[in-house]
Amino acid sequence: MRGVISTALLAFITYIIFSGSSSPYDLFTGAVVAIGVGLLMGKYVVQNDAKAMNPVRWLWGLVYFLWYMLVAETKSHIDVIIRTITGNYNPGIVKVPIGVETSYAKTLVANSITNTPGTVVVDMDENYLYVNWIDVTTLDPEKAKGEISADFERFAKRIFE
């Protein structure tokens, strides 16, 4: 029954947050849906129950979510707005090394880059991300990593590795 409880718990929390209600009906419906999701998907999405149920990892996930929404997105939106108004951009694709190991961490980093305005991951292999960047300031992979993905990787390591 690997992963059932952690998957069900995450599904239940997500259901309650997105429903915006804690009425008995919603709590019951959320529990039923969460148990179903846990039973159907738990063994496929969770590799290690101890890691998945670690409250420190969940706390880092919350910290990451808040940082991403309040800091990373705001900075990127402001940068793209300024570049749109001034026409000051230099687009291109850069090769960025990725320093996380697990597929979950790599997915978090790639999705975070793609969801942040001004950057899109267009390809990925075991060691590198290929990022379409609105303003290429360097072609050096390590410097590009520092500007594009270093912050995302720090959080991904704490959450998934």
Side-chain angles (χ1 to χ4, degrees):
M1 296 282 289
R2 180 189 76 211
V4 172
I5 294 172
S6 54
T7 304
L9 182 60
L10 182 60
F12 180 74
I13 291 169
T14 303
Y15 181 89
I16 296 302
I17 288 172
F18 284 115
S19 73
S21 172
S22 60
S23 70
Y25 174 78
D26 286 325
L27 292 174
F28 176 76
T29 304
V32 169
V33 169
I35 291 168
V37 168
L39 289 170
L40 291 172
M41 299 303 299
K43 65 182 177 185
Y44 301 112
V45 297
V46 175
Q47 296 171 351
N48 183 337
D49 280 322
K51 284 173 82 173
M53 294 301 289
N54 185 340
V56 174
R57 291 175 187 271
W58 287 57
L59 180 63
W60 274 113
L62 179 63
V63 169
Y64 172 71
F65 175 77
L66 293 172
W67 173 83
Y68 179 78
M69 288 299 174
L70 299 175
V71 177
E73 282 285 321
T74 302
K75 284 173 41 179
S76 295
H77 275 88
I78 290 170
D79 181 62
V80 169
I81 290 168
I82 290 169
R83 291 186 190 290
T84 302
I85 292 170
T86 63
N88 182 18
Y89 51 88
N90 178 29
I93 296 177
V94 294
K95 184 177 182 179
V96 179
I98 188 160
V100 292
E101 298 298 322
T102 65
S103 59
Y104 289 120
K106 287 179 181 180
T107 301
L108 177 65
V109 172
N111 284 341
S112 297
I113 291 169
T114 297
N115 289 332
T116 304
T119 52
V120 176
V121 175
V122 294
D123 196 12
M124 180 176 176
D125 60 30
E126 288 298 314
N127 301 314
Y128 293 97
L129 300 171
Y130 299 89
V131 180
N132 188 350
W133 192 7
I134 194 171
D135 187 43
V136 177
T137 57
T138 181
L139 293 176
D140 178 50
E142 288 301 323
K143 288 181 182 176
K145 177 181 179 173
E147 293 187 43
I148 296 173
S149 68
D151 291 333
F152 299 133
E153 286 187 21
R154 267 198 343 263
F155 283 106
K157 283 180 183 178
R158 291 182 173 146
I159 297 168
F160 291 115
E161 293 186 351

